[in-house]
Amino acid sequence: RPIIWTFLPNVNWLLGRLHERMVIYHCVDEYSQFSGVPKDVIIRMERELIQRADIVFTSAEKLCAERREINPRTYFIPHGVDVAHFSRALDPDTAVASEIRTLPKPVIGFFGLLADWVDLDMIGALARARPKWSFALVGKAQTDLKAVQGLPNVHLIGQRPYSALPGYCRGFDVGLIPFRMNELTLRVNPLKLREYLAAGLPVVSTPLPEVVRYQGVVHIATNREGFLEEIEAALKERTSERDRARVAMMQSEGWEARVGEMSRLVEERLTEAA
């Protein structure tokens, strides 16, 4: 009698076939808002799954509030971070990734999927405004890159393994989260936020609700001028003391704590159902 734990909303056909003792829906995105999906179908399937789930976990407060109206056993559990892994960026023995080792400083970095929710127009505008800065984009591209292609100070690194990310963070001076503001990103909780911070990096981001929760630690910007101003402010914060303070802040947000919280809720529900 297994537990079905799904991150995707389209598994209703499977429920009951495995004689499961529990169904957990772990919602980390507003799936109906992705480009190219049948929106109405996704909404219908997800609503049915939420109704049938024993527990719903969400990674963003807005996702939680909306799904709790359908199922009261819905809980907000933010993403965690592998602090030990990303804090290697501050270790002198960690080599800077070869592709960015010789780039002119400062290096303004991004890692993650380059999809249509990443504001490449903004990155292009920043790169043109600051031609002496280097912009390093690490990640697989799933959208048109014409907004940044051909700019001499924008470096498209491509997809790299998770194990290599501390080496890129060691070469970054600032971590960017330049997401467009829309119905998808209003409900996103970017993993890279905590990963940048666990690497000791100052962060500049658009005002995503889950990022704004860290206002005062993270720099928030809404347009080109704001990004330029906040990046310049973030660059002034690169001291060893402040870098270590960012890492220390993430110590309580490791995956161990998140999994522990979820495990407690699962065990409680299993006990109730016994």
Side-chain angles (χ1 to χ4, degrees):
R1 297 193 62 205
I3 293 173
I4 293 180
W5 191 316
T6 178
F7 287 84
L8 297 177
N10 59 342
V11 300
N12 294 324
W13 62 273
L14 186 63
L15 304 187
R17 295 190 179 195
L18 300 181
H19 307 289
E20 66 276 359
R21 56 180 168 159
M22 175 180 282
V23 175
I24 299 171
Y25 174 39
H26 198 152
C27 178
V28 299
D29 274 306
E30 185 61 68
Y31 297 103
S32 65
Q33 295 298 323
F34 282 110
S35 300
V37 303
K39 179 177 178 179
D40 293 341
V41 175
I42 294 293
I43 290 172
R44 175 178 53 78
M45 289 193 300
E46 187 189 40
R47 186 176 185 88
E48 181 182 345
L49 175 60
I50 293 168
Q51 289 171 334
R52 297 177 67 178
D54 296 281
I55 292 177
V56 178
F57 292 129
T58 71
S59 58
E61 281 192 313
K62 192 168 180 62
L63 291 173
C64 184
E66 292 166 346
R67 282 143 189 82
R68 188 172 282 156
E69 292 179 358
I70 305 170
N71 187 331
R73 295 186 299 275
T74 298
Y75 304 94
F76 169 48
I77 309 288
H79 291 312
V81 61
D82 186 342
V83 179
H85 180 61
F86 282 93
S87 64
R88 288 173 46 218
L90 297 183
D91 186 340
D93 292 332
T94 297
V96 175
S98 59
E99 299 97 327
I100 64 174
R101 192 175 300 150
T102 59
L103 294 182
K105 290 284 198 175
V107 176
I108 314 304
F110 170 92
F111 62 69
L113 187 66
L114 291 169
D116 57 7
W117 57 80
V118 178
D119 194 344
L120 294 175
D121 292 322
M122 174 69 74
I123 295 173
L126 297 176
R128 286 188 292 272
R130 293 292 184 273
K132 293 185 179 180
W133 292 2
S134 299
F135 292 81
L137 311 182
V138 181
K140 180 179 179 180
Q142 285 189 346
T143 191
D144 191 339
L145 301 176
K146 66 181 179 182
V148 294
Q149 283 177 329
L151 293 173
N153 59 333
V154 176
H155 306 272
L156 298 166
I157 308 298
Q159 187 173 14
R160 293 296 182 267
Y162 178 81
S163 60
L165 293 181
Y168 289 94
C169 290
R170 183 157 179 78
F172 291 171
D173 295 292
V174 173
L176 279 189
I177 307 179
F179 284 11
R180 300 182 187 277
M181 299 297 293
N182 55 40
E183 291 302 310
L184 174 66
T185 58
L186 286 173
R187 296 164 176 82
V188 76
N189 193 337
L191 282 164
K192 62 181 61 60
L193 168 64
R194 293 169 182 80
E195 291 169 346
Y196 287 156
L197 292 172
L201 288 168
V203 179
V204 181
S205 173
T206 42
L208 310 172
E210 290 299 326
V211 176
V212 171
R213 288 157 54 87
Y214 290 80
Q215 193 159 16
V217 176
V218 174
H219 296 261
I220 303 298
T222 58
N223 54 34
R224 190 194 75 157
E225 289 69 26
F227 263 94
L228 293 172
E229 181 179 329
E230 295 302 330
I231 291 171
E232 288 170 348
L235 289 169
K236 295 175 183 177
E237 297 176 358
R238 288 309 308 266
T239 67
S240 58
E241 181 179 1
R242 298 190 78 162
D243 293 351
R244 289 194 301 270
R246 284 185 279 270
V247 176
M249 180 192 308
M250 290 296 102
Q251 291 293 348
S252 62
E253 302 204 30
W255 282 116
E256 295 84 355
R258 302 294 193 239
V259 172
E261 189 173 359
M262 288 187 286
S263 296
R264 178 183 60 80
L265 292 166
V266 170
E267 288 168 0
E268 287 179 359
R269 182 64 181 157
L270 285 172
T271 300
E272 292 171 3

PDB file of all heavy atoms in Angstrom, residues 148-177:
ATOM      1  N   VAL A 148      19.544  38.771 -26.344  1.00  0.00           N
ATOM      2  CA  VAL A 148      20.896  38.844 -25.767  1.00  0.00           C
ATOM      3  C   VAL A 148      21.970  38.317 -26.708  1.00  0.00           C
ATOM      4  O   VAL A 148      23.166  38.547 -26.467  1.00  0.00           O
ATOM      5  CB  VAL A 148      20.967  38.084 -24.424  1.00  0.00           C
ATOM      6  CG1 VAL A 148      20.108  38.762 -23.365  1.00  0.00           C
ATOM      7  CG2 VAL A 148      20.557  36.625 -24.583  1.00  0.00           C
ATOM      8  N   GLN A 149      21.575  37.612 -27.751  1.00  0.00           N
ATOM      9  CA  GLN A 149      22.574  37.076 -28.673  1.00  0.00           C
ATOM     10  C   GLN A 149      23.297  38.198 -29.401  1.00  0.00           C
ATOM     11  O   GLN A 149      22.702  39.185 -29.807  1.00  0.00           O
ATOM     12  CB  GLN A 149      21.916  36.128 -29.681  1.00  0.00           C
ATOM     13  CG  GLN A 149      21.603  34.760 -29.094  1.00  0.00           C
ATOM     14  CD  GLN A 149      20.881  33.856 -30.073  1.00  0.00           C
ATOM     15  OE1 GLN A 149      20.126  34.330 -30.907  1.00  0.00           O
ATOM     16  NE2 GLN A 149      21.101  32.554 -29.954  1.00  0.00           N
ATOM     17  N   GLY A 150      24.596  38.034 -29.526  1.00  0.00           N
ATOM     18  CA  GLY A 150      25.393  39.032 -30.227  1.00  0.00           C
ATOM     19  C   GLY A 150      25.929  40.134 -29.356  1.00  0.00           C
ATOM     20  O   GLY A 150      26.789  40.906 -29.806  1.00  0.00           O
ATOM     21  N   LEU A 151      25.452  40.236 -28.127  1.00  0.00           N
ATOM     22  CA  LEU A 151      25.997  41.249 -27.216  1.00  0.00           C
ATOM     23  C   LEU A 151      27.332  40.737 -26.676  1.00  0.00           C
ATOM     24  O   LEU A 151      27.400  39.646 -26.091  1.00  0.00           O
ATOM     25  CB  LEU A 151      25.016  41.518 -26.074  1.00  0.00           C
ATOM     26  CG  LEU A 151      23.700  42.181 -26.478  1.00  0.00           C
ATOM     27  CD1 LEU A 151      22.747  42.251 -25.296  1.00  0.00           C
ATOM     28  CD2 LEU A 151      23.949  43.576 -27.041  1.00  0.00           C
ATOM     29  N   PRO A 152      28.409  41.496 -26.838  1.00  0.00           N
ATOM     30  CA  PRO A 152      29.739  40.977 -26.502  1.00  0.00           C
ATOM     31  C   PRO A 152      29.952  40.693 -25.025  1.00  0.00           C
ATOM     32  O   PRO A 152      30.825  39.887 -24.668  1.00  0.00           O
ATOM     33  CB  PRO A 152      30.689  42.074 -26.994  1.00  0.00           C
ATOM     34  CG  PRO A 152      29.848  43.314 -27.049  1.00  0.00           C
ATOM     35  CD  PRO A 152      28.476  42.857 -27.416  1.00  0.00           C
ATOM     36  N   ASN A 153      29.165  41.322 -24.174  1.00  0.00           N
ATOM     37  CA  ASN A 153      29.352  41.104 -22.735  1.00  0.00           C
ATOM     38  C   ASN A 153      28.301  40.180 -22.134  1.00  0.00           C
ATOM     39  O   ASN A 153      28.201  40.069 -20.905  1.00  0.00           O
ATOM     40  CB  ASN A 153      29.400  42.432 -21.981  1.00  0.00           C
ATOM     41  CG  ASN A 153      28.138  43.267 -22.159  1.00  0.00           C
ATOM     42  OD1 ASN A 153      27.460  43.146 -23.174  1.00  0.00           O
ATOM     43  ND2 ASN A 153      27.829  44.099 -21.181  1.00  0.00           N
ATOM     44  N   VAL A 154      27.507  39.511 -22.973  1.00  0.00           N
ATOM     45  CA  VAL A 154      26.573  38.488 -22.502  1.00  0.00           C
ATOM     46  C   VAL A 154      27.110  37.132 -22.929  1.00  0.00           C
ATOM     47  O   VAL A 154      27.355  36.896 -24.118  1.00  0.00           O
ATOM     48  CB  VAL A 154      25.151  38.698 -23.059  1.00  0.00           C
ATOM     49  CG1 VAL A 154      24.241  37.552 -22.623  1.00  0.00           C
ATOM     50  CG2 VAL A 154      24.586  40.031 -22.581  1.00  0.00           C
ATOM     51  N   HIS A 155      27.291  36.250 -21.970  1.00  0.00           N
ATOM     52  CA  HIS A 155      27.931  34.958 -22.213  1.00  0.00           C
ATOM     53  C   HIS A 155      26.925  33.844 -21.914  1.00  0.00           C
ATOM     54  O   HIS A 155      26.518  33.649 -20.762  1.00  0.00           O
ATOM     55  CB  HIS A 155      29.184  34.824 -21.348  1.00  0.00           C
ATOM     56  CG  HIS A 155      30.138  35.972 -21.539  1.00  0.00           C
ATOM     57  ND1 HIS A 155      31.107  35.980 -22.514  1.00  0.00           N
ATOM     58  CD2 HIS A 155      30.214  37.180 -20.903  1.00  0.00           C
ATOM     59  CE1 HIS A 155      31.768  37.129 -22.473  1.00  0.00           C
ATOM     60  NE2 HIS A 155      31.245  37.879 -21.492  1.00  0.00           N
ATOM     61  N   LEU A 156      26.516  33.147 -22.959  1.00  0.00           N
ATOM     62  CA  LEU A 156      25.559  32.049 -22.842  1.00  0.00           C
ATOM     63  C   LEU A 156      26.336  30.761 -22.626  1.00  0.00           C
ATOM     64  O   LEU A 156      26.916  30.200 -23.567  1.00  0.00           O
ATOM     65  CB  LEU A 156      24.693  31.988 -24.097  1.00  0.00           C
ATOM     66  CG  LEU A 156      23.834  33.238 -24.357  1.00  0.00           C
ATOM     67  CD1 LEU A 156      23.275  33.234 -25.772  1.00  0.00           C
ATOM     68  CD2 LEU A 156      22.705  33.329 -23.337  1.00  0.00           C
ATOM     69  N   ILE A 157      26.345  30.301 -21.392  1.00  0.00           N
ATOM     70  CA  ILE A 157      27.199  29.175 -21.007  1.00  0.00           C
ATOM     71  C   ILE A 157      26.568  27.837 -21.377  1.00  0.00           C
ATOM     72  O   ILE A 157      27.265  26.870 -21.667  1.00  0.00           O
ATOM     73  CB  ILE A 157      27.495  29.214 -19.488  1.00  0.00           C
ATOM     74  CG1 ILE A 157      28.020  30.595 -19.075  1.00  0.00           C
ATOM     75  CG2 ILE A 157      28.467  28.118 -19.093  1.00  0.00           C
ATOM     76  CD1 ILE A 157      29.312  31.000 -19.707  1.00  0.00           C
ATOM     77  N   GLY A 158      25.248  27.765 -21.360  1.00  0.00           N
ATOM     78  CA  GLY A 158      24.573  26.500 -21.600  1.00  0.00           C
ATOM     79  C   GLY A 158      24.326  25.744 -20.309  1.00  0.00           C
ATOM     80  O   GLY A 158      24.690  26.192 -19.217  1.00  0.00           O
ATOM     81  N   GLN A 159      23.704  24.576 -20.444  1.00  0.00           N
ATOM     82  CA  GLN A 159      23.364  23.769 -19.272  1.00  0.00           C
ATOM     83  C   GLN A 159      24.619  23.143 -18.662  1.00  0.00           C
ATOM     84  O   GLN A 159      25.476  22.632 -19.381  1.00  0.00           O
ATOM     85  CB  GLN A 159      22.376  22.669 -19.657  1.00  0.00           C
ATOM     86  CG  GLN A 159      21.842  21.884 -18.479  1.00  0.00           C
ATOM     87  CD  GLN A 159      20.734  20.929 -18.897  1.00  0.00           C
ATOM     88  OE1 GLN A 159      20.542  20.665 -20.075  1.00  0.00           O
ATOM     89  NE2 GLN A 159      20.008  20.419 -17.930  1.00  0.00           N
ATOM     90  N   ARG A 160      24.704  23.190 -17.364  1.00  0.00           N
ATOM     91  CA  ARG A 160      25.817  22.594 -16.647  1.00  0.00           C
ATOM     92  C   ARG A 160      25.275  21.769 -15.479  1.00  0.00           C
ATOM     93  O   ARG A 160      24.190  22.034 -14.966  1.00  0.00           O
ATOM     94  CB  ARG A 160      26.769  23.676 -16.117  1.00  0.00           C
ATOM     95  CG  ARG A 160      27.496  24.441 -17.221  1.00  0.00           C
ATOM     96  CD  ARG A 160      28.413  23.544 -18.015  1.00  0.00           C
ATOM     97  NE  ARG A 160      29.153  24.249 -19.045  1.00  0.00           N
ATOM     98  CZ  ARG A 160      28.758  24.380 -20.305  1.00  0.00           C
ATOM     99  NH1 ARG A 160      27.583  23.876 -20.683  1.00  0.00           N
ATOM    100  NH2 ARG A 160      29.508  25.015 -21.191  1.00  0.00           N
ATOM    101  N   PRO A 161      26.014  20.764 -15.014  1.00  0.00           N
ATOM    102  CA  PRO A 161      25.499  19.907 -13.937  1.00  0.00           C
ATOM    103  C   PRO A 161      25.381  20.656 -12.610  1.00  0.00           C
ATOM    104  O   PRO A 161      26.124  21.602 -12.341  1.00  0.00           O
ATOM    105  CB  PRO A 161      26.529  18.780 -13.853  1.00  0.00           C
ATOM    106  CG  PRO A 161      27.768  19.324 -14.471  1.00  0.00           C
ATOM    107  CD  PRO A 161      27.327  20.300 -15.524  1.00  0.00           C
ATOM    108  N   TYR A 162      24.445  20.190 -11.805  1.00  0.00           N
ATOM    109  CA  TYR A 162      24.224  20.764 -10.467  1.00  0.00           C
ATOM    110  C   TYR A 162      25.522  20.784  -9.663  1.00  0.00           C
ATOM    111  O   TYR A 162      25.803  21.745  -8.939  1.00  0.00           O
ATOM    112  CB  TYR A 162      23.162  19.915  -9.769  1.00  0.00           C
ATOM    113  CG  TYR A 162      22.832  20.307  -8.353  1.00  0.00           C
ATOM    114  CD1 TYR A 162      21.969  21.360  -8.086  1.00  0.00           C
ATOM    115  CD2 TYR A 162      23.350  19.584  -7.273  1.00  0.00           C
ATOM    116  CE1 TYR A 162      21.646  21.703  -6.783  1.00  0.00           C
ATOM    117  CE2 TYR A 162      23.028  19.919  -5.969  1.00  0.00           C
ATOM    118  CZ  TYR A 162      22.180  20.977  -5.730  1.00  0.00           C
ATOM    119  OH  TYR A 162      21.860  21.306  -4.441  1.00  0.00           O
ATOM    120  N   SER A 163      26.317  19.741  -9.813  1.00  0.00           N
ATOM    121  CA  SER A 163      27.562  19.635  -9.044  1.00  0.00           C
ATOM    122  C   SER A 163      28.531  20.769  -9.362  1.00  0.00           C
ATOM    123  O   SER A 163      29.395  21.102  -8.538  1.00  0.00           O
ATOM    124  CB  SER A 163      28.239  18.292  -9.313  1.00  0.00           C
ATOM    125  OG  SER A 163      28.549  18.157 -10.692  1.00  0.00           O
ATOM    126  N   ALA A 164      28.403  21.385 -10.546  1.00  0.00           N
ATOM    127  CA  ALA A 164      29.338  22.427 -10.959  1.00  0.00           C
ATOM    128  C   ALA A 164      28.916  23.822 -10.523  1.00  0.00           C
ATOM    129  O   ALA A 164      29.701  24.768 -10.628  1.00  0.00           O
ATOM    130  CB  ALA A 164      29.483  22.402 -12.484  1.00  0.00           C
ATOM    131  N   LEU A 165      27.688  23.980 -10.015  1.00  0.00           N
ATOM    132  CA  LEU A 165      27.171  25.321  -9.748  1.00  0.00           C
ATOM    133  C   LEU A 165      27.994  26.117  -8.730  1.00  0.00           C
ATOM    134  O   LEU A 165      28.148  27.337  -8.901  1.00  0.00           O
ATOM    135  CB  LEU A 165      25.705  25.247  -9.323  1.00  0.00           C
ATOM    136  CG  LEU A 165      24.744  24.777 -10.425  1.00  0.00           C
ATOM    137  CD1 LEU A 165      23.306  24.753  -9.897  1.00  0.00           C
ATOM    138  CD2 LEU A 165      24.842  25.665 -11.661  1.00  0.00           C
ATOM    139  N   PRO A 166      28.544  25.517  -7.660  1.00  0.00           N
ATOM    140  CA  PRO A 166      29.373  26.332  -6.754  1.00  0.00           C
ATOM    141  C   PRO A 166      30.545  27.006  -7.460  1.00  0.00           C
ATOM    142  O   PRO A 166      30.926  28.123  -7.095  1.00  0.00           O
ATOM    143  CB  PRO A 166      29.840  25.316  -5.709  1.00  0.00           C
ATOM    144  CG  PRO A 166      28.762  24.285  -5.691  1.00  0.00           C
ATOM    145  CD  PRO A 166      28.333  24.162  -7.117  1.00  0.00           C
ATOM    146  N   GLY A 167      31.108  26.350  -8.476  1.00  0.00           N
ATOM    147  CA  GLY A 167      32.209  26.960  -9.213  1.00  0.00           C
ATOM    148  C   GLY A 167      31.788  28.176 -10.004  1.00  0.00           C
ATOM    149  O   GLY A 167      32.565  29.121 -10.188  1.00  0.00           O
ATOM    150  N   TYR A 168      30.546  28.171 -10.485  1.00  0.00           N
ATOM    151  CA  TYR A 168      30.026  29.359 -11.172  1.00  0.00           C
ATOM    152  C   TYR A 168      29.717  30.454 -10.153  1.00  0.00           C
ATOM    153  O   TYR A 168      30.032  31.631 -10.377  1.00  0.00           O
ATOM    154  CB  TYR A 168      28.790  28.996 -11.992  1.00  0.00           C
ATOM    155  CG  TYR A 168      29.150  28.172 -13.205  1.00  0.00           C
ATOM    156  CD1 TYR A 168      29.102  26.786 -13.154  1.00  0.00           C
ATOM    157  CD2 TYR A 168      29.590  28.777 -14.376  1.00  0.00           C
ATOM    158  CE1 TYR A 168      29.478  26.015 -14.255  1.00  0.00           C
ATOM    159  CE2 TYR A 168      29.956  28.023 -15.481  1.00  0.00           C
ATOM    160  CZ  TYR A 168      29.903  26.632 -15.409  1.00  0.00           C
ATOM    161  OH  TYR A 168      30.275  25.884 -16.487  1.00  0.00           O
ATOM    162  N   CYS A 169      29.095  30.068  -9.048  1.00  0.00           N
ATOM    163  CA  CYS A 169      28.789  31.062  -8.008  1.00  0.00           C
ATOM    164  C   CYS A 169      30.057  31.729  -7.491  1.00  0.00           C
ATOM    165  O   CYS A 169      30.038  32.921  -7.160  1.00  0.00           O
ATOM    166  CB  CYS A 169      28.040  30.396  -6.857  1.00  0.00           C
ATOM    167  SG  CYS A 169      26.356  29.898  -7.258  1.00  0.00           S
ATOM    168  N   ARG A 170      31.139  30.974  -7.420  1.00  0.00           N
ATOM    169  CA  ARG A 170      32.398  31.563  -6.943  1.00  0.00           C
ATOM    170  C   ARG A 170      32.876  32.662  -7.892  1.00  0.00           C
ATOM    171  O   ARG A 170      33.513  33.632  -7.462  1.00  0.00           O
ATOM    172  CB  ARG A 170      33.467  30.497  -6.780  1.00  0.00           C
ATOM    173  CG  ARG A 170      34.779  31.047  -6.215  1.00  0.00           C
ATOM    174  CD  ARG A 170      35.627  30.004  -5.538  1.00  0.00           C
ATOM    175  NE  ARG A 170      36.880  30.559  -5.029  1.00  0.00           N
ATOM    176  CZ  ARG A 170      36.987  31.269  -3.909  1.00  0.00           C
ATOM    177  NH1 ARG A 170      35.915  31.492  -3.162  1.00  0.00           N
ATOM    178  NH2 ARG A 170      38.156  31.731  -3.518  1.00  0.00           N
ATOM    179  N   GLY A 171      32.546  32.525  -9.167  1.00  0.00           N
ATOM    180  CA  GLY A 171      32.945  33.542 -10.133  1.00  0.00           C
ATOM    181  C   GLY A 171      31.957  34.673 -10.304  1.00  0.00           C
ATOM    182  O   GLY A 171      32.294  35.720 -10.874  1.00  0.00           O
ATOM    183  N   PHE A 172      30.721  34.473  -9.810  1.00  0.00           N
ATOM    184  CA  PHE A 172      29.720  35.544  -9.883  1.00  0.00           C
ATOM    185  C   PHE A 172      30.009  36.596  -8.807  1.00  0.00           C
ATOM    186  O   PHE A 172      30.502  36.279  -7.724  1.00  0.00           O
ATOM    187  CB  PHE A 172      28.310  35.002  -9.618  1.00  0.00           C
ATOM    188  CG  PHE A 172      27.740  34.095 -10.671  1.00  0.00           C
ATOM    189  CD1 PHE A 172      26.557  33.413 -10.433  1.00  0.00           C
ATOM    190  CD2 PHE A 172      28.367  33.919 -11.888  1.00  0.00           C
ATOM    191  CE1 PHE A 172      26.005  32.571 -11.391  1.00  0.00           C
ATOM    192  CE2 PHE A 172      27.845  33.079 -12.858  1.00  0.00           C
ATOM    193  CZ  PHE A 172      26.646  32.406 -12.601  1.00  0.00           C
ATOM    194  N   ASP A 173      29.653  37.838  -9.095  1.00  0.00           N
ATOM    195  CA  ASP A 173      29.693  38.898  -8.089  1.00  0.00           C
ATOM    196  C   ASP A 173      28.305  39.210  -7.545  1.00  0.00           C
ATOM    197  O   ASP A 173      28.163  39.651  -6.405  1.00  0.00           O
ATOM    198  CB  ASP A 173      30.319  40.158  -8.689  1.00  0.00           C
ATOM    199  CG  ASP A 173      31.787  39.934  -9.054  1.00  0.00           C
ATOM    200  OD1 ASP A 173      32.596  39.767  -8.130  1.00  0.00           O
ATOM    201  OD2 ASP A 173      32.095  39.898 -10.258  1.00  0.00           O
ATOM    202  N   VAL A 174      27.289  38.975  -8.363  1.00  0.00           N
ATOM    203  CA  VAL A 174      25.889  39.189  -7.982  1.00  0.00           C
ATOM    204  C   VAL A 174      25.066  38.094  -8.656  1.00  0.00           C
ATOM    205  O   VAL A 174      25.367  37.690  -9.783  1.00  0.00           O
ATOM    206  CB  VAL A 174      25.381  40.580  -8.437  1.00  0.00           C
ATOM    207  CG1 VAL A 174      23.879  40.729  -8.198  1.00  0.00           C
ATOM    208  CG2 VAL A 174      26.131  41.693  -7.717  1.00  0.00           C
ATOM    209  N   GLY A 175      24.031  37.626  -7.969  1.00  0.00           N
ATOM    210  CA  GLY A 175      23.104  36.679  -8.565  1.00  0.00           C
ATOM    211  C   GLY A 175      21.818  37.372  -8.976  1.00  0.00           C
ATOM    212  O   GLY A 175      21.236  38.131  -8.195  1.00  0.00           O
ATOM    213  N   LEU A 176      21.358  37.116 -10.197  1.00  0.00           N
ATOM    214  CA  LEU A 176      20.155  37.756 -10.736  1.00  0.00           C
ATOM    215  C   LEU A 176      18.959  36.810 -10.738  1.00  0.00           C
ATOM    216  O   LEU A 176      19.101  35.616 -11.014  1.00  0.00           O
ATOM    217  CB  LEU A 176      20.379  38.204 -12.184  1.00  0.00           C
ATOM    218  CG  LEU A 176      21.109  39.513 -12.490  1.00  0.00           C
ATOM    219  CD1 LEU A 176      20.993  39.798 -13.982  1.00  0.00           C
ATOM    220  CD2 LEU A 176      20.584  40.670 -11.669  1.00  0.00           C
ATOM    221  N   ILE A 177      17.779  37.369 -10.449  1.00  0.00           N
ATOM    222  CA  ILE A 177      16.511  36.681 -10.671  1.00  0.00           C
ATOM    223  C   ILE A 177      15.633  37.647 -11.474  1.00  0.00           C
ATOM    224  O   ILE A 177      14.743  38.312 -10.934  1.00  0.00           O
ATOM    225  CB  ILE A 177      15.825  36.268  -9.352  1.00  0.00           C
ATOM    226  CG1 ILE A 177      16.798  35.469  -8.472  1.00  0.00           C
ATOM    227  CG2 ILE A 177      14.567  35.437  -9.644  1.00  0.00           C
ATOM    228  CD1 ILE A 177      16.214  35.050  -7.142  1.00  0.00           C
TER     229      ILE A 177
END
